């Protein structure tokens, strides 16, 4: 005959037998656990891939910006636009003498030549000298003539070669921009010139030396589009 203690132990064993996992259910449980573990690994792997793609995408954007900076050079500083209206352009006939606003200074244009009479260089004649060319690429350049005897000012003669009709030209000296008077032959000769009197570029120690580095030149069409610009170097 069982006492109370034996009866309690038997009841506990029966309850434990009912809640214990039977052999037939252990396999499915293991499979379920493995599936959950696999799902967690896949999810973690996908997150890592997404993160890696995000890093690559971000790096690609930075690299693209760097490549863009390497391929497209920084834009050069735009020339300063002078204040006020530009002088009206002048059309001259080939060989015509155009006064330049100073005594005995004048200019002549020919098909491929710009000739300037400097009275100091030609005190007793009608000769002139300047720039000539035979075709070439689009460019803008300048000739400088010192005005003696004090050399307090100089003549800045701009020359543009290339397509388009030049309506305005400017020169910037020591941060001060001035409009030049544009001069051209009739029609479309493929070049134009401009002149303006400005600060002397005479070197104090040598009246024959004219340092022009840093002088900025620009040519514009009638709509204000920049045809060419240049900063002179030593």
């Amino acid at each position: 005959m069982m006492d109370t203690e034996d009866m309690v132990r038997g009841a506990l064993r029966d309850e434990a037998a009912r809640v214990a996992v039977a052999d037939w259910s252990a396999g499915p449980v293991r499979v379920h656990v493995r599936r959950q573990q696999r799902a967690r690994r896949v999810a973690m792997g996908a997150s890592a891939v997404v993160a890696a793609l995000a890093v690559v995408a971000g790096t690609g954007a930075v690299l693209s910006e760097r490549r863009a900076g390497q391929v497209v050079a920084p834009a050069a500083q735009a020339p300063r636009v002078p204040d006020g209206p530009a002088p009206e352009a002048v059309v001259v006939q080939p060989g015509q003498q155009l006064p330049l606003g100073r005594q005995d200074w004048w200019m002549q244009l020919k098909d491929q030549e710009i000739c300037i009479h400097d009275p100091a260089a030609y005190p007793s004649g009608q000769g002139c000298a300047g720039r000539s060319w035979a075709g070439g690429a689009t460019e803008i350049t300048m000739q400088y003539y010192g005005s003696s005897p004090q050399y307090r000012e100089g003549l800045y003669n701009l020359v543009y070669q290339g397509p388009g009709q030049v309506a305005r030209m400017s020169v910037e000296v020591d941060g001060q921009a001035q409009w030049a008077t544009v001069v051209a032959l009739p029609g479309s000769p493929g070049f134009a010139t401009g002149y303006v009197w400005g600060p002397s570029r005479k070197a104090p120690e040598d009246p024959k030396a004219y340092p022009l580095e840093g002088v900025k030149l620009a040519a514009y069409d009638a709509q204000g589009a920049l045809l060419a610009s240049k900063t002179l170097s030593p």
Side-chain angles (χ1 to χ4, degrees):
M1 188 174 184
M2 297 176 58
D3 58 15
T4 303
E5 184 176 351
D6 291 334
M7 293 175 63
V8 171
R9 287 177 180 174
L12 290 175
R13 281 196 297 270
D14 292 341
E15 188 65 25
R18 283 196 295 269
V19 300
V21 178
D23 292 339
W24 58 267
S25 63
V29 170
R30 294 192 190 95
V31 171
H32 179 70
V33 172
R34 284 198 294 269
R35 285 176 179 172
Q36 288 184 326
Q37 292 174 341
R38 189 181 306 113
R40 283 195 295 270
R41 285 196 299 269
V42 171
M44 292 177 63
S47 300
V49 170
V50 171
L53 289 175
V55 172
V56 170
T59 305
V62 173
L63 291 177
S64 297
E65 292 175 2
R66 290 175 181 170
R67 291 194 191 101
Q70 293 170 356
V71 174
V72 182
Q77 184 178 3
R80 188 187 304 271
V81 177
D83 295 329
E88 186 176 351
V90 178
V91 177
V92 297
Q93 299 299 318
Q96 176 185 341
Q97 290 186 8
L98 175 69
L100 297 179
R102 299 294 186 272
Q103 185 176 0
D104 294 331
W105 283 84
W106 49 263
M107 172 192 292
Q108 280 183 342
L109 300 187
K110 298 181 181 179
D111 288 345
Q112 292 181 321
E113 182 183 17
I114 298 169
C115 198
I116 292 179
H117 176 75
D118 176 354
Y122 301 95
S124 60
Q126 291 296 303
C128 62
R131 179 179 174 84
S132 62
W133 61 89
T138 298
E139 68 169 349
I140 186 169
T141 186
M142 190 190 79
Q143 304 179 101
Y144 176 85
Y145 297 83
S147 177
S148 60
Q150 289 82 20
Y151 294 97
R152 294 175 180 172
E153 64 177 356
L155 178 67
Y156 293 77
N157 175 222
L158 287 66
V159 184
Y160 169 78
Q161 296 169 243
Q165 294 289 107
V166 176
R168 294 182 296 168
M169 299 179 107
S170 68
V171 59
E172 182 182 330
V173 182
D174 298 331
Q176 299 297 317
Q178 293 179 263
W179 290 119
T181 299
V182 174
V183 184
L185 294 173
S188 302
F191 80 96
T193 186
Y195 71 90
V196 62
W197 293 92
S200 172
R201 302 298 291 178
K202 178 182 70 66
E205 68 280 2
D206 184 359
K208 296 181 180 180
Y210 303 100
L212 299 177
E213 61 270 19
V215 174
K216 298 180 180 181
L217 319 173
Y220 305 84
D221 66 12
Q223 287 70 45
L226 183 64
L227 297 175
S229 66
K230 183 177 184 180
T231 299
L232 300 183
S233 56

